[in-house]
């Protein structure tokens, strides 16, 4: 799995100038209502520690891809907001990433493998979330 | 997968006072001839960047678990050597780690899932190593 993550990270860095961690943050924000999430929700979705997420969001903010905002209904909460520049960068990076996932994960597997892998991953994820 | 890695790391930190990355370095050294490996081989086996591996080995060295040695047949090469203290720490940590893997990965799966997962992971690994 680590080798796969490394491969997918390398493709994004080489072809889109962003890390896999940065890409995943942009994906999560793009799929959220009003393209914004609390930092705590974002950390949970990308399964990252707060300190590592802070670092990733700092880099995205420096590039103008995201912005931080105070939470209107909770002064201690900080929202991370996807800016149009970040959405455009995600749209530009996505085809290459999807192709890399296809080549590394789906090409070597047949339909039965993919189905079984889906069943297995759902079982593992369910237990990890519950316990 | 990241949630699983996080779980396994947490168990080792809590129960054995070492990270999953440190544990994996000790495992690789313990399984190598004369309990030693070149740093470059070690980086490849644990699928880590050289800079991250250097950090992990530094922490293991501070605790007296490993030592660095010059490579006898290549002056530029550095060997990482497992010390008896490191082997003892690995032996002490292993049962808890094995139990955590069993609980998180094997308990939720039936025999057919495990077999299919093995086939799938071998296919993915083969392609990642070749390309």
């Amino acid at each position: 799995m680590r080798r796969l993550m490394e491969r997918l990270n390398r493709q994004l860095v080489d072809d889109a100038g962003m890390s896999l961690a940065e890409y995943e943050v942009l994906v999560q924000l793009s799929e959220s209502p009003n393209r914004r999430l609390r930092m705590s929700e974002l950390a949970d979705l990308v399964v990252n520690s707060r300190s590592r997420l802070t670092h990733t969001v700092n880099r995205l903010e420096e590039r103008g891809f995201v912005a931080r905002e105070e939470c209107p209904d909770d002064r201690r909460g900080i929202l991370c907001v996807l800016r149009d520049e970040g959405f455009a960068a995600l749209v530009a990076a996505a085809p290459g990433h999807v192709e890399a996932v296809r080549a590394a994960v789906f090409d070597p597997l047949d339909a039965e493998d993919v189905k079984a892998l889906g069943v297995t991953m759902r079982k593992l994820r369910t237990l990890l979330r519950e316990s």
Side-chain angles (χ1 to χ4, degrees), chain A:
Chain A
M1 290 311 303
R2 228 174 261 147
R3 217 172 278 273
L4 174 61
M5 294 298 183
E6 191 185 55
R7 168 73 54 93
L8 298 180
N9 183 62
R10 177 52 44 204
Q11 180 273 322
L12 280 167
V13 169
D14 288 349
D15 297 346
M18 69 174 75
S19 68
L20 182 59
E22 290 166 349
Y23 182 86
E24 289 178 349
V25 164
L26 298 181
V27 167
Q28 293 299 337
L29 292 173
S30 76
E31 294 175 351
S32 298
N34 301 313
R35 294 184 182 166
R36 64 197 65 207
L37 283 167
R38 281 165 184 271
M39 289 291 283
S40 53
E41 293 170 312
L42 192 51
D44 190 53
L45 285 166
V46 299
V47 194
N48 247 326
S49 67
R50 275 304 289 262
S51 66
R52 188 166 295 182
L53 179 66
T54 297
H55 181 63
T56 303
V57 168
N58 285 348
R59 279 179 298 159
L60 290 169
E61 198 169 20
E62 281 164 19
R63 300 172 68 184
F65 290 173
V66 306
R68 283 181 169 90
E69 277 181 8
E70 260 188 38
C71 221
D73 48 310
D74 171 8
R75 281 199 200 162
R76 289 177 309 169
I78 300 288
L79 291 170
C80 185
V81 183
L82 182 62
R83 300 185 65 208
D84 289 347
E85 291 82 348
F87 188 75
L90 175 60
V91 167
H97 174 67
V98 169
E99 173 56 27
V101 172
R102 196 188 58 71
V105 180
F106 292 99
D107 279 358
L109 303 181
D110 59 32
E112 204 182 332
D113 295 333
V114 172
K115 193 178 163 192
L117 186 61
V119 169
T120 291
M121 290 298 148
R122 271 191 293 279
K123 287 184 185 178
L124 296 185
R125 191 173 56 182
T126 300
L127 192 85
L128 282 166
R129 291 205 164 163
E130 283 169 358
S131 59

Short mmCIF file of all heavy atoms in Angstrom, two decimals, chain A residues 56-107:
data_model
loop_
_atom_site.label_atom_id
_atom_site.label_comp_id
_atom_site.label_asym_id
_atom_site.label_seq_id
_atom_site.Cartn_x
_atom_site.Cartn_y
_atom_site.Cartn_z
N THR A 56 -0.20 20.91 5.39
CA THR A 56 -0.73 20.77 4.03
C THR A 56 -1.59 21.99 3.67
O THR A 56 -1.46 22.55 2.57
CB THR A 56 -1.58 19.48 3.92
OG1 THR A 56 -0.77 18.37 4.30
CG2 THR A 56 -2.10 19.27 2.52
N VAL A 57 -2.46 22.40 4.59
CA VAL A 57 -3.34 23.55 4.32
C VAL A 57 -2.52 24.83 4.19
O VAL A 57 -2.82 25.69 3.35
CB VAL A 57 -4.44 23.66 5.40
CG1 VAL A 57 -5.19 24.98 5.31
CG2 VAL A 57 -5.42 22.49 5.27
N ASN A 58 -1.45 24.98 4.98
CA ASN A 58 -0.58 26.15 4.83
C ASN A 58 -0.02 26.25 3.40
O ASN A 58 -0.02 27.32 2.80
CB ASN A 58 0.60 26.06 5.80
CG ASN A 58 0.20 26.37 7.23
OD1 ASN A 58 -0.91 26.86 7.47
ND2 ASN A 58 1.07 26.05 8.17
N ARG A 59 0.44 25.11 2.88
CA ARG A 59 1.00 25.14 1.53
C ARG A 59 -0.07 25.47 0.49
O ARG A 59 0.18 26.22 -0.45
CB ARG A 59 1.67 23.79 1.20
CG ARG A 59 3.09 23.70 1.79
CD ARG A 59 3.70 22.35 1.48
NE ARG A 59 2.89 21.30 2.10
CZ ARG A 59 2.88 20.03 1.74
NH1 ARG A 59 3.62 19.63 0.73
NH2 ARG A 59 2.14 19.13 2.37
N LEU A 60 -1.27 24.93 0.68
CA LEU A 60 -2.35 25.23 -0.26
C LEU A 60 -2.77 26.69 -0.16
O LEU A 60 -3.12 27.32 -1.16
CB LEU A 60 -3.56 24.32 0.03
CG LEU A 60 -3.37 22.84 -0.33
CD1 LEU A 60 -4.52 22.01 0.24
CD2 LEU A 60 -3.29 22.66 -1.85
N GLU A 61 -2.71 27.25 1.04
CA GLU A 61 -3.09 28.65 1.23
C GLU A 61 -2.06 29.58 0.57
O GLU A 61 -2.42 30.56 -0.07
CB GLU A 61 -3.21 28.95 2.73
CG GLU A 61 -4.01 30.20 3.03
CD GLU A 61 -4.33 30.33 4.52
OE1 GLU A 61 -3.66 29.69 5.35
OE2 GLU A 61 -5.27 31.10 4.84
N GLU A 62 -0.77 29.22 0.72
CA GLU A 62 0.29 30.03 0.09
C GLU A 62 0.12 30.12 -1.42
O GLU A 62 0.49 31.11 -2.04
CB GLU A 62 1.67 29.39 0.38
CG GLU A 62 2.20 29.68 1.77
CD GLU A 62 3.34 28.74 2.15
OE1 GLU A 62 3.95 28.12 1.26
OE2 GLU A 62 3.59 28.60 3.37
N ARG A 63 -0.41 29.04 -1.99
CA ARG A 63 -0.59 29.03 -3.44
C ARG A 63 -1.94 29.61 -3.87
O ARG A 63 -2.28 29.58 -5.06
CB ARG A 63 -0.44 27.59 -3.95
CG ARG A 63 0.94 27.05 -3.62
CD ARG A 63 1.06 25.59 -3.93
NE ARG A 63 1.00 25.36 -5.36
CZ ARG A 63 1.00 24.15 -5.91
NH1 ARG A 63 1.05 23.09 -5.15
NH2 ARG A 63 0.97 24.02 -7.22
N GLY A 64 -2.73 30.06 -2.91
CA GLY A 64 -4.02 30.67 -3.24
C GLY A 64 -5.11 29.67 -3.56
O GLY A 64 -6.15 30.03 -4.12
N PHE A 65 -4.89 28.39 -3.20
CA PHE A 65 -5.87 27.36 -3.53
C PHE A 65 -6.98 27.25 -2.48
O PHE A 65 -8.09 26.84 -2.79
CB PHE A 65 -5.20 25.99 -3.67
CG PHE A 65 -4.32 25.86 -4.89
CD1 PHE A 65 -3.54 24.73 -5.07
CD2 PHE A 65 -4.29 26.84 -5.86
CE1 PHE A 65 -2.74 24.59 -6.20
CE2 PHE A 65 -3.48 26.73 -6.99
CZ PHE A 65 -2.71 25.60 -7.16
N VAL A 66 -6.67 27.57 -1.24
CA VAL A 66 -7.68 27.55 -0.19
C VAL A 66 -7.51 28.80 0.67
O VAL A 66 -6.49 29.50 0.59
CB VAL A 66 -7.58 26.29 0.72
CG1 VAL A 66 -7.62 25.00 -0.09
CG2 VAL A 66 -6.33 26.33 1.59
N ALA A 67 -8.52 29.08 1.50
CA ALA A 67 -8.42 30.16 2.48
C ALA A 67 -8.99 29.66 3.79
O ALA A 67 -9.81 28.74 3.81
CB ALA A 67 -9.19 31.39 1.99
N ARG A 68 -8.52 30.24 4.89
CA ARG A 68 -9.09 29.93 6.19
C ARG A 68 -10.09 31.01 6.57
O ARG A 68 -9.85 32.20 6.32
CB ARG A 68 -7.99 29.87 7.26
CG ARG A 68 -7.16 28.60 7.23
CD ARG A 68 -6.14 28.69 8.36
NE ARG A 68 -5.43 27.45 8.62
CZ ARG A 68 -4.29 27.09 8.03
NH1 ARG A 68 -3.75 27.87 7.11
NH2 ARG A 68 -3.70 25.96 8.35
N GLU A 69 -11.19 30.61 7.19
CA GLU A 69 -12.22 31.56 7.64
C GLU A 69 -12.64 31.18 9.05
O GLU A 69 -12.66 30.00 9.40
CB GLU A 69 -13.48 31.42 6.77
CG GLU A 69 -13.44 32.17 5.47
CD GLU A 69 -14.75 31.97 4.71
OE1 GLU A 69 -15.71 31.39 5.26
OE2 GLU A 69 -14.78 32.39 3.55
N GLU A 70 -13.04 32.20 9.82
CA GLU A 70 -13.63 31.88 11.12
C GLU A 70 -14.99 31.23 10.91
O GLU A 70 -15.73 31.61 10.00
CB GLU A 70 -13.82 33.16 11.94
CG GLU A 70 -12.73 33.36 12.96
CD GLU A 70 -13.05 34.52 13.88
OE1 GLU A 70 -14.23 34.70 14.25
OE2 GLU A 70 -12.10 35.26 14.22
N CYS A 71 -15.31 30.29 11.77
CA CYS A 71 -16.60 29.63 11.74
C CYS A 71 -17.66 30.62 12.25
O CYS A 71 -17.50 31.14 13.36
CB CYS A 71 -16.53 28.43 12.68
SG CYS A 71 -17.30 26.98 12.07
N PRO A 72 -18.72 30.90 11.46
CA PRO A 72 -19.67 31.91 11.92
C PRO A 72 -20.40 31.52 13.21
O PRO A 72 -20.67 32.37 14.05
CB PRO A 72 -20.67 32.03 10.75
CG PRO A 72 -20.43 30.86 9.87
CD PRO A 72 -19.05 30.33 10.15
N ASP A 73 -20.67 30.22 13.40
CA ASP A 73 -21.44 29.81 14.57
C ASP A 73 -20.56 29.24 15.68
O ASP A 73 -21.05 28.63 16.61
CB ASP A 73 -22.52 28.79 14.16
CG ASP A 73 -21.93 27.70 13.27
OD1 ASP A 73 -21.24 28.06 12.28
OD2 ASP A 73 -22.12 26.51 13.55
N ASP A 74 -19.26 29.40 15.57
CA ASP A 74 -18.36 28.85 16.61
C ASP A 74 -17.03 29.57 16.46
O ASP A 74 -16.23 29.26 15.60
CB ASP A 74 -18.20 27.34 16.40
CG ASP A 74 -17.12 26.76 17.30
OD1 ASP A 74 -16.59 27.47 18.18
OD2 ASP A 74 -16.78 25.58 17.10
N ARG A 75 -16.76 30.53 17.33
CA ARG A 75 -15.59 31.38 17.14
C ARG A 75 -14.28 30.63 17.22
O ARG A 75 -13.28 31.07 16.70
CB ARG A 75 -15.57 32.48 18.22
CG ARG A 75 -16.53 33.60 17.86
CD ARG A 75 -16.18 34.84 18.63
NE ARG A 75 -17.33 35.74 18.66
CZ ARG A 75 -17.48 36.74 19.51
NH1 ARG A 75 -16.53 36.96 20.40
NH2 ARG A 75 -18.53 37.51 19.47
N ARG A 76 -14.28 29.47 17.93
CA ARG A 76 -13.03 28.73 18.03
C ARG A 76 -12.78 27.86 16.80
O ARG A 76 -11.68 27.40 16.57
CB ARG A 76 -13.03 27.85 19.29
CG ARG A 76 -12.92 28.65 20.58
CD ARG A 76 -13.00 27.71 21.75
NE ARG A 76 -14.18 26.83 21.63
CZ ARG A 76 -14.42 25.77 22.37
NH1 ARG A 76 -13.55 25.42 23.30
NH2 ARG A 76 -15.50 25.04 22.22
N GLY A 77 -13.86 27.62 16.03
CA GLY A 77 -13.71 26.76 14.86
C GLY A 77 -13.13 27.51 13.68
O GLY A 77 -13.38 28.70 13.50
N ILE A 78 -12.32 26.82 12.88
CA ILE A 78 -11.75 27.41 11.67
C ILE A 78 -12.24 26.60 10.48
O ILE A 78 -12.17 25.36 10.49
CB ILE A 78 -10.20 27.38 11.71
CG1 ILE A 78 -9.65 28.15 12.91
CG2 ILE A 78 -9.61 27.93 10.40
CD1 ILE A 78 -9.78 29.66 12.80
N LEU A 79 -12.75 27.32 9.47
CA LEU A 79 -13.17 26.66 8.24
C LEU A 79 -12.06 26.73 7.22
O LEU A 79 -11.33 27.73 7.14
CB LEU A 79 -14.40 27.35 7.66
CG LEU A 79 -15.71 27.23 8.43
CD1 LEU A 79 -16.76 28.18 7.82
CD2 LEU A 79 -16.23 25.80 8.40
N CYS A 80 -11.94 25.69 6.41
CA CYS A 80 -11.06 25.72 5.26
C CYS A 80 -11.96 25.80 4.02
O CYS A 80 -12.89 25.00 3.86
CB CYS A 80 -10.20 24.46 5.23
SG CYS A 80 -8.96 24.48 3.92
N VAL A 81 -11.70 26.79 3.17
CA VAL A 81 -12.56 27.07 2.03
C VAL A 81 -11.78 26.87 0.74
O VAL A 81 -10.65 27.37 0.60
CB VAL A 81 -13.04 28.55 2.10
CG1 VAL A 81 -14.02 28.84 0.96
CG2 VAL A 81 -13.67 28.84 3.45
N LEU A 82 -12.38 26.15 -0.20
CA LEU A 82 -11.75 25.96 -1.51
C LEU A 82 -11.96 27.21 -2.37
O LEU A 82 -13.10 27.63 -2.57
CB LEU A 82 -12.36 24.74 -2.21
CG LEU A 82 -11.79 24.35 -3.57
CD1 LEU A 82 -10.32 23.96 -3.47
CD2 LEU A 82 -12.60 23.20 -4.18
N ARG A 83 -10.89 27.82 -2.84
CA ARG A 83 -11.02 28.98 -3.72
C ARG A 83 -11.12 28.52 -5.17
O ARG A 83 -10.78 27.38 -5.50
CB ARG A 83 -9.81 29.91 -3.53
CG ARG A 83 -9.71 30.41 -2.07
CD ARG A 83 -8.59 31.41 -1.92
NE ARG A 83 -8.87 32.61 -2.70
CZ ARG A 83 -7.97 33.42 -3.22
NH1 ARG A 83 -6.68 33.14 -3.06
NH2 ARG A 83 -8.31 34.47 -3.92
N ASP A 84 -11.58 29.40 -6.05
CA ASP A 84 -11.73 29.03 -7.46
C ASP A 84 -10.42 28.55 -8.06
O ASP A 84 -10.39 27.63 -8.88
CB ASP A 84 -12.26 30.23 -8.27
CG ASP A 84 -13.72 30.54 -7.93
OD1 ASP A 84 -14.37 29.69 -7.28
OD2 ASP A 84 -14.19 31.62 -8.29
N GLU A 85 -9.31 29.18 -7.63
CA GLU A 85 -8.00 28.77 -8.12
C GLU A 85 -7.70 27.32 -7.72
O GLU A 85 -7.08 26.58 -8.49
CB GLU A 85 -6.91 29.68 -7.54
CG GLU A 85 -6.93 31.11 -8.06
CD GLU A 85 -7.94 32.02 -7.33
OE1 GLU A 85 -8.80 31.50 -6.57
OE2 GLU A 85 -7.86 33.24 -7.53
N GLY A 86 -8.12 26.95 -6.52
CA GLY A 86 -7.91 25.58 -6.05
C GLY A 86 -8.77 24.59 -6.81
O GLY A 86 -8.33 23.49 -7.14
N PHE A 87 -10.00 25.00 -7.08
CA PHE A 87 -10.89 24.11 -7.85
C PHE A 87 -10.34 23.89 -9.25
O PHE A 87 -10.32 22.77 -9.77
CB PHE A 87 -12.30 24.71 -7.91
CG PHE A 87 -13.31 23.76 -8.51
CD1 PHE A 87 -13.77 22.67 -7.78
CD2 PHE A 87 -13.76 23.94 -9.80
CE1 PHE A 87 -14.70 21.78 -8.34
CE2 PHE A 87 -14.68 23.05 -10.37
CZ PHE A 87 -15.15 21.97 -9.64
N ALA A 88 -9.84 24.97 -9.86
CA ALA A 88 -9.25 24.86 -11.20
C ALA A 88 -8.02 23.94 -11.19
O ALA A 88 -7.83 23.14 -12.11
CB ALA A 88 -8.87 26.25 -11.72
N ALA A 89 -7.21 24.05 -10.13
CA ALA A 89 -6.02 23.19 -10.03
C ALA A 89 -6.42 21.73 -9.88
O ALA A 89 -5.79 20.83 -10.45
CB ALA A 89 -5.15 23.63 -8.84
N LEU A 90 -7.49 21.49 -9.12
CA LEU A 90 -7.99 20.12 -8.94
C LEU A 90 -8.50 19.56 -10.27
O LEU A 90 -8.18 18.42 -10.64
CB LEU A 90 -9.12 20.13 -7.90
CG LEU A 90 -9.84 18.80 -7.65
CD1 LEU A 90 -8.86 17.73 -7.17
CD2 LEU A 90 -10.98 18.99 -6.66
N VAL A 91 -9.27 20.36 -11.00
CA VAL A 91 -9.80 19.92 -12.29
C VAL A 91 -8.67 19.60 -13.26
O VAL A 91 -8.72 18.63 -14.01
CB VAL A 91 -10.74 21.02 -12.88
CG1 VAL A 91 -11.07 20.76 -14.34
CG2 VAL A 91 -12.02 21.10 -12.04
N ALA A 92 -7.60 20.39 -13.20
CA ALA A 92 -6.45 20.15 -14.08
C ALA A 92 -5.68 18.90 -13.69
O ALA A 92 -5.16 18.18 -14.55
CB ALA A 92 -5.52 21.37 -14.06
N ALA A 93 -5.62 18.62 -12.37
CA ALA A 93 -4.82 17.49 -11.89
C ALA A 93 -5.56 16.16 -11.99
O ALA A 93 -4.93 15.10 -12.10
CB ALA A 93 -4.39 17.73 -10.43
N ALA A 94 -6.89 16.21 -11.95
CA ALA A 94 -7.68 14.97 -11.79
C ALA A 94 -7.45 13.93 -12.89
O ALA A 94 -7.26 12.75 -12.58
CB ALA A 94 -9.16 15.32 -11.65
N PRO A 95 -7.47 14.30 -14.18
CA PRO A 95 -7.34 13.25 -15.20
C PRO A 95 -6.05 12.43 -15.06
O PRO A 95 -6.07 11.20 -15.20
CB PRO A 95 -7.38 14.02 -16.53
CG PRO A 95 -8.09 15.29 -16.20
CD PRO A 95 -7.69 15.62 -14.79
N GLY A 96 -4.94 13.09 -14.78
CA GLY A 96 -3.68 12.37 -14.62
C GLY A 96 -3.70 11.44 -13.42
O GLY A 96 -3.18 10.32 -13.48
N HIS A 97 -4.31 11.92 -12.33
CA HIS A 97 -4.39 11.09 -11.13
C HIS A 97 -5.29 9.87 -11.38
O HIS A 97 -4.94 8.74 -11.02
CB HIS A 97 -4.94 11.92 -9.96
CG HIS A 97 -5.21 11.12 -8.73
ND1 HIS A 97 -4.20 10.54 -8.00
CD2 HIS A 97 -6.37 10.77 -8.11
CE1 HIS A 97 -4.72 9.88 -6.97
NE2 HIS A 97 -6.03 10.01 -7.02
N VAL A 98 -6.44 10.11 -12.01
CA VAL A 98 -7.37 9.00 -12.30
C VAL A 98 -6.68 7.97 -13.18
O VAL A 98 -6.80 6.76 -12.96
CB VAL A 98 -8.66 9.55 -12.97
CG1 VAL A 98 -9.51 8.42 -13.53
CG2 VAL A 98 -9.45 10.37 -11.95
N GLU A 99 -5.93 8.44 -14.16
CA GLU A 99 -5.21 7.52 -15.05
C GLU A 99 -4.16 6.72 -14.26
O GLU A 99 -3.99 5.52 -14.49
CB GLU A 99 -4.54 8.32 -16.18
CG GLU A 99 -3.62 7.53 -17.06
CD GLU A 99 -4.27 6.31 -17.71
OE1 GLU A 99 -5.51 6.33 -17.91
OE2 GLU A 99 -3.55 5.34 -17.98
N ALA A 100 -3.48 7.38 -13.33
CA ALA A 100 -2.47 6.68 -12.52
C ALA A 100 -3.11 5.61 -11.63
O ALA A 100 -2.55 4.52 -11.46
CB ALA A 100 -1.68 7.68 -11.67
N VAL A 101 -4.28 5.92 -11.07
CA VAL A 101 -4.99 4.93 -10.25
C VAL A 101 -5.44 3.76 -11.13
O VAL A 101 -5.30 2.59 -10.75
CB VAL A 101 -6.22 5.57 -9.54
CG1 VAL A 101 -7.07 4.50 -8.86
CG2 VAL A 101 -5.76 6.61 -8.53
N ARG A 102 -5.95 4.09 -12.31
CA ARG A 102 -6.39 3.03 -13.21
C ARG A 102 -5.21 2.11 -13.55
O ARG A 102 -5.31 0.88 -13.47
CB ARG A 102 -6.97 3.65 -14.50
CG ARG A 102 -7.79 2.67 -15.34
CD ARG A 102 -8.19 3.25 -16.69
NE ARG A 102 -7.04 3.65 -17.49
CZ ARG A 102 -6.19 2.81 -18.06
NH1 ARG A 102 -6.33 1.52 -17.92
NH2 ARG A 102 -5.17 3.29 -18.76
N ALA A 103 -4.08 2.69 -13.91
CA ALA A 103 -2.92 1.90 -14.32
C ALA A 103 -2.36 1.06 -13.18
O ALA A 103 -1.93 -0.07 -13.38
CB ALA A 103 -1.84 2.83 -14.87
N ALA A 104 -2.37 1.62 -11.95
CA ALA A 104 -1.71 0.94 -10.83
C ALA A 104 -2.65 -0.02 -10.11
O ALA A 104 -2.19 -0.99 -9.50
CB ALA A 104 -1.16 1.96 -9.84
N VAL A 105 -3.95 0.24 -10.13
CA VAL A 105 -4.88 -0.56 -9.33
C VAL A 105 -5.84 -1.39 -10.19
O VAL A 105 -6.00 -2.59 -9.96
CB VAL A 105 -5.71 0.33 -8.38
CG1 VAL A 105 -6.67 -0.51 -7.54
CG2 VAL A 105 -4.78 1.15 -7.48
N PHE A 106 -6.46 -0.75 -11.19
CA PHE A 106 -7.53 -1.47 -11.89
C PHE A 106 -7.04 -2.29 -13.07
O PHE A 106 -7.57 -3.37 -13.33
CB PHE A 106 -8.66 -0.50 -12.27
CG PHE A 106 -9.37 0.01 -11.06
CD1 PHE A 106 -9.07 1.26 -10.53
CD2 PHE A 106 -10.30 -0.78 -10.39
CE1 PHE A 106 -9.70 1.71 -9.37
CE2 PHE A 106 -10.93 -0.34 -9.24
CZ PHE A 106 -10.63 0.91 -8.73
N ASP A 107 -6.04 -1.84 -13.78
CA ASP A 107 -5.53 -2.62 -14.91
C ASP A 107 -5.07 -4.02 -14.51
O ASP A 107 -5.38 -4.99 -15.20
CB ASP A 107 -4.39 -1.88 -15.63
CG ASP A 107 -4.91 -0.83 -16.59
OD1 ASP A 107 -6.15 -0.71 -16.72
OD2 ASP A 107 -4.09 -0.13 -17.20
#
